[in-house]
């Protein structure tokens, strides 16, 4: 007999102060509090983090891999955004 | 990312209509050949998706069922240190099951579907967990041999072409190495103990050796899906190659313990640079896979009863969450009315 899964949550962990939260995985939980506690129990059993975020998976909007080329294309030809585009004589220091 | 919520939306138009088209297939294979990872929303051949769902869910089921033979000894562990370690190991296995179900869910199946398949007896899990744990030494042997074989199998899977599976394997491998070490430490303690304790250790090795070798699956010449899985880089090393590697590293470990590996044909082959070993009883392997191992029925009974007895908890948690949501939604209205 099939029953409904609990909602899906994405888990983000801050490994230590000064670092950004990073996606670690996902889990099912009935509500946000349970999602936090389950995330602590499964994703931080060995001191992996000092802070946790849980986000309902359905709340995330993602870019479509099918559109990847068109979506990220505008950046492709703008090499002048990189420092190596500019020619500075080697004699010039501290630049 | 494991954004399954996005991947299983109905009417998802991100799957191109020309599914299975030769050009898409070629582009997909080129990506794999270039060692690029495939991510959940990327186009993939239906066969690739199906193979992965089958493999990852079997892997997840194995982690979950694998808790049962060890759970048998939690209350009888010989010391608090051993008990704490065994509890932590079993908790890890539950976590590993969760990582793997999550990876499978990114392919568009729900966890409930997969669990239903297991409970209905339609899904497979590793044959090894259908053997009984009759003495404390079995807990040592399982950590040493079964987790050792699992690690051997899982290390190459960290390079699997499917991103979520590969990431789950990296996390699992990191956690698994304590499992094997705690098992070997149990064996070492028994082997350095009384004659009776050493006999227990030998008995456990006698019973777990062959089933551990069976964990690597059928021989390459009888393995149905191997070639395609290798091409897709779902599988990176063949069954027989992994099995040989396991024998090569494990035999010296047994010698260190002063235990005898129960295989009369086992001997070092200097020419090959590997151990030669005897033929596996493939009939036993097939029987256990078909459901006729010593504990198949007991394992399924335990899983089903755990699932049934937990149903009210799952339902109550959802009802509680729903009630709190409704109360929070109603609160501002009540305030405004005052």
């Amino acid at each position: 007999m099939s029953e409904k899964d609990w909602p899906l949550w994405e888990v983000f962990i801050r490994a230590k102060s000064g670092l950004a939260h990073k996606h670690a995985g996902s889990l099912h939980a009935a509500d946000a509090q349970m999602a936090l506690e389950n995330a602590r129990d499964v994703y931080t059993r060995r001191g992996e983090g000092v802070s946790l975020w849980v986000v309902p998976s359905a709340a995330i909007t993602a870019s479509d891999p099918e559109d990847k080329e068109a979506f990220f294309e505008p950046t492709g030809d703008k090499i002048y955004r990189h420092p190596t585009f500019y020619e500075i004589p080697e004699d010039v220091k501290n630049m | 990312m494991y954004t399954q919520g996005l991947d299983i939306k109905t009417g998802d138009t991100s799957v191109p209509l020309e599914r299975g088209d030769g050009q898409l297939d070629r582009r997909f294979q080129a990506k794999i050949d270039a060692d690029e990872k495939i991510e959940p929303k990327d186009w993939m051949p239906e066969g690739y998706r199906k193979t992965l769902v089958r493999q990852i869910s079997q892997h997840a089921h194995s982690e979950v069922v694998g808790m049962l033979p060890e759970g048998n000894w939690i209350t009888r562990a010989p010391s608090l240190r051993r008990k704490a370690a065994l509890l932590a190991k079993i908790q890890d296995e539950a976590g590993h099951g969760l990582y793997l179900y999550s990876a499978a869910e990114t392919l568009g199946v729900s966890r409930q579907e997969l669990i239903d398949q297991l409970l209905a007896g339609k899904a497979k899990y590793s044959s090894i967990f259908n053997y009984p744990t009759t003495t404390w030494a079995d807990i040592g042997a399982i950590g040493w041999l079964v987790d050792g074989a699992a690690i051997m199998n899982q290390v190459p899977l960290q390079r699997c072409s499917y991103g979520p599976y590969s990431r789950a394997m990296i996390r699992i491998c990191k956690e698994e190495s304590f499992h094997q070490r705690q098992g070997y430490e149990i064996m070492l303690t028994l082997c350095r103990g009384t004659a009776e304790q050493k006999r227990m250790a030998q008995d456990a090795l006698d019973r777990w050796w062959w089933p551990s070798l069976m964990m690597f699956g059928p021989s390459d010449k009888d393995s149905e899906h191997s070639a395609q899985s290798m091409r897709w880089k779902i599988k990176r090393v063949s069954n027989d190659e992994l099995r040989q590697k396991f024998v090569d590293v494990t035999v010296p470990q047994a010698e260190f313990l002063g235990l005898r590996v129960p295989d009369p044909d086992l001997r070092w082959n200097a020419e090959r640079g590997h151990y030669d070993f005897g033929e596996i009883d493939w009939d036993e392997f097939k029987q256990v896979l078909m459901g006729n191992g010593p504990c198949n029925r007991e394992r399924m009974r335990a899983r089903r009863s755990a699932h049934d007895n937990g149903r009210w908890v799952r339902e109550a948690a959802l009802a509680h969450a729903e009630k709190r949501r409704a109360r929070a939604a109603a609160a501002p209205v009540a305030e405004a009315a005052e």
Side-chain angles (χ1 to χ4, degrees):
Chain A
M1 188 179 55
S2 198
E3 58 180 71
K4 225 177 92 190
D5 269 326
W6 284 340
L8 193 64
W9 302 75
E10 301 300 324
V11 178
F12 298 82
I13 302 175
R14 185 202 294 286
K16 59 180 186 182
S17 292
L19 296 179
H21 286 76
K22 195 176 160 216
H23 186 246
S26 47
L27 51 79
H28 290 273
D31 58 26
Q33 185 60 33
M34 186 194 279
L36 264 185
E37 285 164 11
N38 288 359
R40 175 200 59 194
D41 291 345
V42 273
Y43 288 106
T44 62
R45 286 198 297 279
R46 292 175 174 82
E48 286 92 338
V50 294
S51 165
L52 274 176
W53 289 348
V54 289
V55 181
S57 304
I60 292 177
T61 306
S63 63
D64 189 336
E66 294 301 315
D67 299 338
K68 188 170 67 185
E69 272 150 45
F71 192 74
F72 294 105
E73 189 273 335
T75 183
D77 56 357
K78 294 180 178 56
I79 50 171
Y80 47 83
R81 285 177 173 169
H82 298 279
T84 46
F85 179 76
Y86 302 93
E87 280 179 34
I88 306 287
E90 273 188 30
D91 296 341
V92 182
K93 300 296 176 197
N94 299 316
M95 192 169 291
Chain B
M1 270 203 351
Y2 294 67
T3 49
Q4 295 92 341
L6 294 162
D7 297 326
I8 49 176
K9 256 186 210 157
T10 46
D12 182 355
T13 51
S14 69
V15 179
L17 294 172
E18 53 281 58
R19 190 195 295 248
D21 171 72
Q23 203 194 335
L24 281 171
D25 277 328
R26 273 198 303 280
R27 210 186 298 160
F28 176 82
Q29 189 60 45
K31 233 172 128 178
I32 298 222
D33 292 343
D35 268 332
E36 274 182 55
K37 296 284 181 203
I38 307 301
E39 293 294 341
K41 297 230 312 169
D42 294 345
W43 185 88
M44 61 186 83
E46 210 36 45
Y48 179 82
R49 182 188 302 273
K50 279 198 184 131
T51 306
L52 274 172
V53 169
R54 209 183 48 214
Q55 181 171 334
I56 301 173
S57 60
Q58 281 185 19
H59 201 157
H61 299 328
S62 300
E63 299 282 355
V64 170
V65 177
M67 291 191 277
L68 296 171
E70 295 185 295
N72 188 29
W73 281 91
I74 292 175
T75 56
R76 291 176 287 169
S79 70
L80 186 57
R81 181 176 183 273
R82 295 286 186 220
K83 184 172 179 161
L86 184 57
L87 268 171
K89 177 178 192 295
I90 294 171
Q91 194 189 10
D92 276 352
E93 312 295 5
H96 297 173
L98 179 129
Y99 306 154
L100 289 161
Y101 282 126
S102 294
E105 281 178 293
T106 63
L107 292 159
V109 283
S110 73
R111 187 170 70 183
Q112 197 53 55
E113 273 172 74
L114 299 175
I115 291 175
D116 285 345
Q117 286 171 8
L118 173 70
L119 298 180
K122 286 187 220 149
K124 297 238 182 309
Y125 56 88
S126 178
S127 57
I128 194 79
F129 302 118
N130 291 313
Y131 291 87
T133 42
T134 51
T135 76
W136 170 252
D138 290 8
I139 299 304
I142 287 181
W144 172 35
L145 301 172
V146 175
D147 287 272
I151 291 169
M152 203 57 92
N153 197 30
Q154 286 166 349
V155 164
L157 284 177
Q158 294 178 106
R159 295 183 293 119
C160 165
S161 62
Y162 188 57
Y165 192 30
S166 144
R167 291 191 286 275
M169 287 328 306
I170 290 171
R171 182 172 272 277
I172 288 174
C173 283
K174 218 184 274 173
E175 299 183 349
E176 200 96 56
S177 77
F178 118 72
H179 297 181
Q180 194 189 13
R181 290 172 67 102
Q182 66 90 35
Y184 195 75
E185 197 196 76
I186 291 173
M187 294 302 275
L188 201 56
T189 307
L190 290 171
C191 289
R192 287 172 175 168
T194 63
E196 176 70 13
Q197 285 174 315
K198 185 150 187 188
R199 261 199 303 280
M200 257 173 73
Q202 181 64 56
D203 165 64
L205 174 58
D206 289 346
R207 285 180 292 108
W208 290 93
W209 175 256
W210 290 106
S212 298
L213 293 194
M214 292 177 198
M215 284 177 70
F216 295 96
S219 158
D220 292 347
K221 58 182 193 300
D222 302 316
S223 191
E224 276 176 60
H225 309 287
S226 264
Q228 182 58 269
S229 286
M230 296 280 253
R231 213 168 95 83
W232 279 332
K233 296 189 183 169
I234 290 175
K235 191 175 186 157
R236 308 288 314 234
V237 186
S238 85
N239 294 354
D240 286 337
E241 233 175 292
L242 286 170
R243 189 164 18 236
Q244 179 71 61
K245 220 172 145 192
F246 175 75
V247 172
D248 289 346
V249 304
T250 310
V251 170
Q253 294 167 354
E255 280 166 3
F256 185 87
L257 293 172
L259 296 179
R260 175 184 35 79
V261 173
D263 178 357
D265 297 323
L266 183 81
R267 60 184 53 84
W268 177 251
N269 183 330
E271 205 175 305
R272 287 203 310 130
H274 293 290
Y275 283 94
D276 290 336
F277 56 98
E279 187 70 12
I280 287 170
D281 182 349
W282 293 113
D283 202 44
E284 176 182 328
F285 174 70
K286 277 182 209 135
Q287 285 300 323
V288 178
L289 266 193
M290 271 161 44
N292 302 319
C295 297
N296 293 60
R297 284 173 195 80
E298 191 187 323
R299 299 292 182 240
M300 289 312 297
R301 211 169 29 240
R303 275 317 311 152
R304 287 191 191 115
S305 96
H307 191 74
D308 290 344
N309 292 330
R311 177 169 289 117
W312 72 270
V313 179
R314 296 191 295 277
E315 288 171 357
L318 263 187
H320 179 66
E322 190 47 52
K323 198 166 85 182
R324 280 176 46 156
R325 229 186 334 265
R327 209 175 275 164
V333 180
E335 251 169 53
E338 271 169 22

